[in-house]
């Protein structure tokens, strides 16, 4: 497939840089397969023998969910809606504190491999299976977006082969995950974080040179954020800090991919330290991605490539910028593509490792999934190929946050209910999880069927008056859609129905809706289904039990489970 007209495609140096990134990633897997050839227990393979230290684990935590979506979609988000998303840095802090003080001590001292083992100890096996299924669905959806989106965006701009990029990503990930286990995943993440930062810096430095410094870029991008308390607005200070805190707490607090990393540390102190060091990595990646978005806006403020038809989707903005400003430097476009795919590799390898841990320790589900795993993935990608192309117009940053909100939010509520509310029983847990999932899914689907008006999304103006086209046929259906939307009368907010306003709720609030619903419903059902055993003062007894040795914790959790479910 050819790249975007008017821009040069990849040259030999670009392909060499990209291939080198894949080769180094695979080599790490070979190294740890050879080094640990005498340690082949599942604990060593999935948990790194619990000998990892804080620094590599911290960098791995950063890489796991700073995927190609961060490299491609976050700058596009800033370009279209402004830099208010930078307030996510505050939500990182709140999420790390919650994880470090609430979830980490419980999971680490239990000595478990899968977070969903806790649900069986605390509630029952049905709760564990339901939580595991939801995690698998969430991970498969997220991983599919992470693999396919950058491949599609980069293919249409740089000209690299779509399925060649997808297959190479999958094969390299599978290879080093299978060969080296968690240690290989962690250390490849360390390497890939470096590649991601190098790719960002190449774009930022060249943009600063072209625009004459940092301050002209900031001056061009002074459309700031809002401190409006309206929860219907897409992004405000409050939606970003409060809503995103729930999202990131669900990722770091209870998501198997992250928990599996910090509980593989050699001590609780190293595990806690890894979370806080990881904050520095998150801030660095966020700062780079936000500033890259400001560079996009500064360079294309007078000629938007999307509305002018030079590209067909916002997620192609960064690859377009790279091929535009770095084409005279062979190898640098390849470095940026390597950065995007490093994000994909780190996320996919984390997902593979996490799914392995969850299914191995949940044998009822393992047999069905593992026997048909290759066929399920092939079917998944082939069936949703056209669907993902259709969604390419949709903001993938929002899609990812919505997935973690709709599924991760209720899961966060389930674990919160178990840890902070020891008087809750399994009936309350399952009821809350189901209702929380239904409610968050309802508002998420409704928001897509009935999208909010522009006065709530507040997009920045995208201008094409500075474009110098010699061929007027260069526009495509994207610009036609935007023109139609621009000339359509805007419906006033006051005339919208209650249901329309419900569907206009900011997508960042999907996670709090699910979490709060699970906790509230879980407590109510637990109260009415087990009044005789309901005693709020058991909380001290429970907290003391879970913070003792693994054997004592297991017995104590099973005791509480039997006590509350015997009716």
């Amino acid at each position: 497939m050819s790249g975007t007209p008017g821009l040069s495609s990849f040259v030999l140096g670009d392909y060499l840089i990209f291939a080198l990134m894949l080769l180094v990633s695979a080599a790490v897997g070979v190294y740890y397969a050879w080094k640990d050839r005498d340690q082949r227990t599942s604990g060593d393979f999935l948990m790194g023998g619990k000998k990892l230290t804080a620094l590599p684990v911290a960098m791995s935590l950063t890489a796991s969910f700073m995927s190609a979506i961060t490299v491609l979609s976050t700058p596009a988000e800033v370009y279209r809606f402004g830099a208010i998303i930078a307030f996510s840095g505050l939500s990182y802090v709140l999420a790390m504190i919650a994880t470090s003080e609430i979830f980490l001590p419980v999971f680490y001292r239990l000595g478990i491999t899968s977070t969903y083992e806790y649900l069986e100890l605390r509630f029952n096996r049905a709760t564990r299976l339901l939580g595991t299924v939801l995690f698998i669905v969430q991970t498969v959806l997220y991983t599919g977006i992470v693999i396919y989106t950058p491949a599609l965006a980069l293919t249409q701009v740089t000209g690299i082969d779509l399925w060649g990029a997808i297959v190479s990503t999958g094969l390299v990930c599978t290879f080093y995950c299978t060969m080296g286990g968690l240690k290989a995943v962690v250390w490849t993440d360390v390497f890939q974080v470096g590649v991601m930062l190098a790719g960002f810096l190449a774009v930022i430095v060249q943009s600063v040179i072209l625009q004459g410094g940092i301050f002209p870029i900031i001056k061009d991008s002074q459309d700031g954020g809002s401190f409006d308390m309206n929860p219907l607005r897409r992004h405000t200070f409050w939606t970003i800090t409060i809503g995103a805190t729930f999202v990131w707490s669900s990722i770091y607090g209870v998501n198997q991919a992250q928990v599996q990393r910090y509980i593989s540390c050699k001590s609780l102190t190293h595990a806690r330290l890894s979370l806080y060091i990881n904050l520095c990595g998150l801030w660095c990646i966020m700062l780079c991605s936000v500033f890259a978005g400001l560079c996009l806006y500064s360079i294309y403020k007078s000629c938007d490539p999307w509305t002018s038809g030079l590209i067909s989707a916002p997620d192609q903005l960064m690859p377009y910028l790279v091929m535009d400003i770095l084409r005279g430097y062979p190898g640098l476009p390849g470095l940026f593509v390597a950065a995007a795919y490093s994000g994909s590799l780190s996320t996919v390898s984390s997902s593979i490792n996490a799914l392995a841990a969850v299914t191995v320790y949940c044998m009822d589900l393992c047999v069905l999934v593992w026997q048909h795993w290759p066929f399920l993935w092939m079917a998944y990608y082939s069936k949703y190929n056209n669907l993902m192309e259709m969604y390419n117009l949709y903001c993938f940053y929002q899609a990812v946050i919505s997935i973690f909100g709709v599924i991760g939010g209720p899961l966060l509520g389930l674990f919160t209910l178990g840890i902070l509310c020891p008087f809750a029983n399994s009936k309350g847990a399952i009821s809350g999880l189901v209702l929380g999932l239904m409610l968050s899914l309802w508002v998420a689907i409704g928001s897509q069927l009935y999208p909010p008006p522009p006065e709530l999304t507040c997009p920045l103006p995208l201008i094409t008056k500075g474009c110098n086209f010699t061929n007027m046929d260069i526009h495509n259906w994207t610009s036609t859609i935007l023109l139609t939307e621009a000339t359509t009368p805007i419906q006033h907010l006051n005339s919208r129905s209650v249901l329309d306003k419900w569907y206009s709720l900011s997508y960042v609030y999907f996670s709090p809706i699910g979490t709060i619903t699970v906790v509230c419903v879980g407590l109510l059902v637990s109260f009415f289904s087990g009044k005789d055993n309901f005693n709020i003062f058991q909380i001290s007894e429970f907290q003391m039990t879970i913070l003792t040795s693994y054997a004592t914790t297991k017995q104590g959790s099973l005791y509480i489970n039997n006590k509350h479910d015997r009716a």
Side-chain angles (χ1 to χ4, degrees):
M1 176 183 284
S2 61
T4 300
L7 294 183
S8 59
S9 296
F10 261 29
V11 297
L12 179 61
D14 299 317
Y15 283 110
L16 289 176
I17 295 293
F18 180 62
L20 180 62
M21 182 273 296
L22 295 177
L23 182 63
V24 172
S25 298
V28 173
V30 174
Y31 171 75
Y32 278 102
W34 177 82
K35 181 182 178 183
D36 298 335
R37 59 190 180 278
D38 297 328
Q39 302 175 13
R40 309 308 292 175
T41 66
S42 60
D44 290 326
F45 187 80
L46 296 173
M47 304 296 294
K50 287 206 168 186
K51 298 177 182 178
L52 298 176
T53 55
L55 184 59
V57 171
M59 297 184 72
S60 181
L61 287 170
T62 300
S64 295
F65 285 93
M66 289 292 163
S67 64
I69 302 298
T70 307
V71 178
L72 300 180
S73 293
T74 302
E77 181 80 12
V78 173
Y79 176 82
R80 295 175 63 201
F81 298 103
I84 191 172
I85 197 175
F87 283 119
S88 296
L90 296 177
S91 68
Y92 297 158
V93 177
L94 298 175
M96 292 312 116
I97 293 174
T99 300
S100 175
E101 302 305 320
I102 298 175
F103 300 104
L104 169 60
V106 175
F107 293 138
Y108 193 90
R109 298 187 182 185
L110 275 172
I112 56 180
T113 299
S114 166
T115 54
Y116 300 95
E117 290 179 73
Y118 169 79
L119 295 179
E120 184 173 359
L121 294 174
R122 176 62 180 85
F123 297 113
N124 57 23
R125 188 164 182 78
T127 309
R128 173 182 177 175
L129 287 173
L130 183 57
T132 301
V133 169
L134 290 180
F135 169 74
I136 291 175
V137 171
Q138 172 187 275
T139 304
V140 169
L141 289 174
Y142 174 59
T143 306
I145 292 178
V146 165
I147 291 179
Y148 192 83
T149 303
L152 186 62
L154 292 168
T155 293
Q156 295 181 352
V157 175
T158 64
I160 62 176
D161 182 68
L162 172 63
W163 287 103
I166 291 175
V167 171
S168 62
T169 302
L171 287 178
V172 171
C173 275
T174 304
F175 177 78
Y176 71 73
C177 286
T178 304
M179 295 291 290
L182 183 65
K183 287 183 180 179
V185 172
V186 168
W187 284 104
T188 51
D189 285 348
V190 172
F191 165 69
Q192 288 155 7
V193 165
V195 175
M196 290 170 66
L197 288 173
F200 268 131
L201 289 176
V203 176
I204 290 172
V205 169
Q206 181 64 7
S207 298
V208 169
I209 293 173
L210 290 175
Q211 297 304 101
I214 294 176
F215 293 107
I217 292 176
I218 296 176
K219 183 179 179 181
D220 290 336
S221 310
Q222 288 183 342
D223 294 280
S226 169
F227 283 80
D228 190 351
M229 295 288 288
N230 186 356
L232 303 184
R233 291 201 181 277
R234 189 175 193 272
H235 284 164
T236 68
F237 172 82
W238 303 106
T239 59
I240 293 296
T241 53
I242 297 175
T245 296
F246 280 82
V247 173
W248 288 103
S249 294
S250 72
I251 292 173
Y252 276 84
V254 302
N255 190 286
Q256 174 66 27
Q258 300 296 72
V259 175
Q260 189 172 345
R261 274 159 177 68
Y262 56 68
I263 65 175
S264 67
C265 289
K266 61 182 183 180
S267 70
L268 182 60
T269 301
H270 273 267
R272 192 170 264 129
L273 189 60
S274 70
L275 286 171
Y276 291 114
I277 295 176
N278 153 74
L279 265 178
C280 299
L282 291 177
W283 285 334
C284 287
I285 298 289
M286 175 56 69
L287 179 63
C288 287
S289 60
V290 168
F291 196 78
L294 298 181
C295 293
L296 269 173
Y297 194 83
S298 179
I299 291 175
Y300 296 124
K301 60 181 179 293
S302 299
C303 182
D304 171 45
W306 184 33
T307 53
S308 63
L310 293 172
I311 57 175
S312 60
D315 292 290
Q316 296 172 11
L317 282 165
M318 276 300 288
Y320 182 85
L321 174 67
V322 168
M323 299 305 294
D324 189 12
I325 68 175
L326 295 178
R327 54 185 168 180
Y329 303 90
L332 289 186
L335 176 62
F336 178 80
V337 171
Y341 276 95
S342 290
S344 291
L345 286 172
S346 62
T347 301
V348 174
S349 61
S350 301
S351 298
I352 291 174
N353 207 255
L355 287 171
V358 168
T359 51
V360 164
Y361 286 87
C362 194
M363 297 304 296
D364 292 347
L365 208 58
C366 176
V367 175
L368 177 63
V369 174
W370 207 254
Q371 285 179 349
H372 303 284
W373 185 247
F375 305 102
L376 289 175
W377 274 105
M378 291 297 292
Y380 174 73
Y381 285 119
S382 62
K383 181 177 180 180
Y384 289 100
N385 183 16
N386 293 331
L387 181 63
M388 291 299 293
E389 288 184 4
M390 180 184 73
Y391 274 113
N392 196 29
L393 189 61
Y394 178 61
C395 177
F396 282 105
Y397 178 86
Q398 180 174 337
V400 167
I401 298 299
S402 297
I403 289 173
F404 284 116
V406 170
I407 302 179
L411 286 176
L412 175 64
L414 179 63
F415 282 94
T416 303
L417 183 70
I419 293 175
L420 298 184
C421 309
F423 38 83
N425 58 30
S426 60
K427 294 177 184 177
I430 293 177
S431 301
L433 181 60
V434 171
L435 288 177
L437 179 65
M438 290 174 60
L439 191 62
S440 56
L441 191 60
W442 174 32
V443 66
I445 294 175
S447 68
Q448 296 308 304
L449 297 177
Y450 307 98
E455 57 261 40
L456 289 180
T457 58
C458 302
L460 299 179
L462 302 179
I463 302 171
T464 58
K465 65 180 181 181
C467 298
N468 185 20
F469 296 141
T470 57
N471 181 5
M472 294 306 295
D473 292 331
I474 201 167
H475 77 280
N476 62 13
W477 58 273
T478 304
S479 55
T480 305
I481 289 177
L482 292 174
L483 181 61
T484 303
E485 290 178 346
T487 57
T488 302
I490 298 175
Q491 186 180 18
H492 293 292
L493 288 178
N494 293 334
S495 64
R496 290 167 64 86
S497 66
V498 175
L499 196 59
D500 286 338
K501 291 182 178 179
W502 168 249
Y503 291 148
S504 297
L505 193 70
S506 173
Y507 70 96
V508 188
Y509 280 135
F510 294 168
S511 183
I513 287 174
T515 302
I516 294 171
T517 301
V518 172
V519 173
C520 292
V521 172
L523 290 177
L524 286 173
V525 173
S526 298
F527 176 76
F528 288 108
S529 64
K531 288 185 178 179
D532 294 340
N533 302 318
F534 194 90
N535 181 3
I536 193 172
F537 296 106
Q538 287 178 326
I539 193 165
S540 298
E541 174 190 348
F542 178 79
Q543 293 291 0
M544 290 182 65
T545 302
I546 62 173
L547 296 180
T548 56
S549 66
Y550 171 64
T552 306
T553 303
K554 185 174 181 180
Q555 294 167 8
S557 299
L558 289 174
Y559 165 74
I560 291 172
N561 172 49
N562 292 333
K563 183 177 180 181
H564 293 305
D565 290 337
R566 62 190 177 190

